[in-house]
Amino acid sequence: DTEVTQTPKHLVMGMTNKKSLKCEQHMGHRAMYWYKQKAKKPPELMFVYSYEKLSINESVPSRFSPECPNSSLLNLHLHALQPEDSALYLCASSLGGYNEQFFGPGTRLTVL
Amino acid sequence: GQQVMQIPQYQHVQEGEDFTTYCNSSTTLSNIQWYKQRPGGHPVFLIQLVKSGEVKKQKRLTFQFGEAKKNSSLHITATQTTDVGTYFCAGGTSYGKLTFGQGTILTVHP
């Protein structure tokens, strides 16, 4: 299985809602990533987990809260988002270090 | 901070023409990776270059890493409509972190 899956595919939420994005991989990868991508822009790194521990937080606002329950799963909890947070949220995994990253299809988030 | 510049931002070609996109980093890179993102899709890994002056080929695609490990290029020979998409370079800087270039959006007219 060489796939990264993400749910949901689309999400619409209000600014007072709480929601979660989910990501799963079964490639035995020990590094997992969250990226945010706006239209016609490159992916922007948000968080990196290595061996289930948060290793990089790119100064992301606290309304985004990552969680790595086990080596195959990665969640992103969302609370009190702003309309400017609307974007494609991509999850990726890799063997770690400088190895290639496998991206999931993304969750397209709209904040009203 | 680390910056990876990529040009051009857009490239429109006729099918059969060649295409090149260039990346330049402000600092020496440990490696450089190239990804392709089809319209409505997600980034897909193409290749990784690690050594100074390295050149790799994949069919019609040729990838180069500069001698100083600060620049890279992707060249596509005789483009096809299936080559349409955004091509990103991504430089490996801090351990485990990739910094993406702005991407080049390639349009191929049949």
Side-chain angles (χ1 to χ4, degrees):
Chain A
D1 186 355
T2 58
E3 194 180 41
V4 176
T5 59
Q6 288 188 245
T7 55
K9 287 187 179 180
H10 301 275
L11 179 62
V12 179
M13 60 186 290
M15 290 190 283
T16 57
N17 292 158
K18 285 185 182 181
K19 296 286 184 184
S20 296
L21 309 184
K22 296 184 183 303
C23 174
E24 190 167 5
Q25 59 88 14
H26 294 287
M27 293 178 276
H29 289 170
R30 294 306 187 180
M32 296 187 77
Y33 312 79
W34 280 115
Y35 289 87
K36 173 183 177 181
Q37 187 177 31
K38 292 274 202 180
K40 298 192 190 302
K41 296 292 185 183
E44 290 178 43
L45 183 65
M46 299 174 72
F47 303 103
V48 180
Y49 272 83
S50 179
Y51 290 91
E52 301 167 43
K53 291 193 174 170
L54 183 64
S55 61
I56 296 177
N57 176 342
E58 290 288 278
S59 302
V60 178
S62 60
R63 57 186 184 267
F64 295 91
S65 175
E67 179 196 20
C68 189
N70 60 56
S71 59
S72 299
L73 292 174
L74 188 65
N75 299 322
L76 187 62
H77 302 298
L78 314 172
H79 174 55
L81 294 193
Q82 305 296 310
E84 58 264 29
D85 296 322
S86 298
L88 180 67
Y89 287 83
L90 293 161
C91 173
S93 72
S94 81
L95 290 170
Y98 298 123
N99 284 284
E100 64 186 278
Q101 295 185 15
F102 292 79
F103 284 82
T107 293
R108 191 159 297 281
L109 173 68
T110 303
V111 182
L112 300 176
Chain B
Q2 172 69 34
Q3 288 192 351
V4 177
M5 309 302 292
Q6 189 174 353
I7 58 168
Q9 186 176 358
Y10 299 93
Q11 186 76 58
H12 305 273
V13 299
Q14 288 293 130
E15 190 172 19
E17 292 181 338
D18 292 357
F19 158 76
T20 306
T21 174
Y22 301 90
C23 272
N24 193 52
S25 169
S26 56
T27 59
T28 302
L29 299 169
S30 299
N31 71 335
I32 194 149
Q33 298 180 12
W34 286 90
Y35 291 80
K36 177 183 178 181
Q37 186 170 16
R38 293 181 186 274
H42 57 276
V44 175
F45 174 81
L46 294 177
I47 208 157
Q48 176 173 266
L49 304 170
V50 178
K51 298 177 185 175
S52 169
E54 191 169 13
V55 177
K56 287 189 177 180
K57 293 191 176 185
Q58 288 180 348
K59 296 183 181 178
R60 295 178 295 105
L61 277 61
T62 302
F63 304 83
Q64 293 190 331
F65 200 11
E67 293 291 338
K69 299 182 74 173
K70 285 187 171 184
N71 60 290
S72 182
S73 65
L74 158 59
H75 179 82
I76 302 179
T77 304
T79 55
Q80 300 174 358
T81 54
T82 52
D83 295 325
V84 163
T86 303
Y87 292 85
F88 291 104
C89 61
T93 53
S94 306
Y95 192 76
K97 180 177 171 179
L98 288 178
T99 300
F100 280 78
Q102 291 300 303
T104 296
I105 300 172
L106 174 64
T107 306
V108 180
H109 301 285

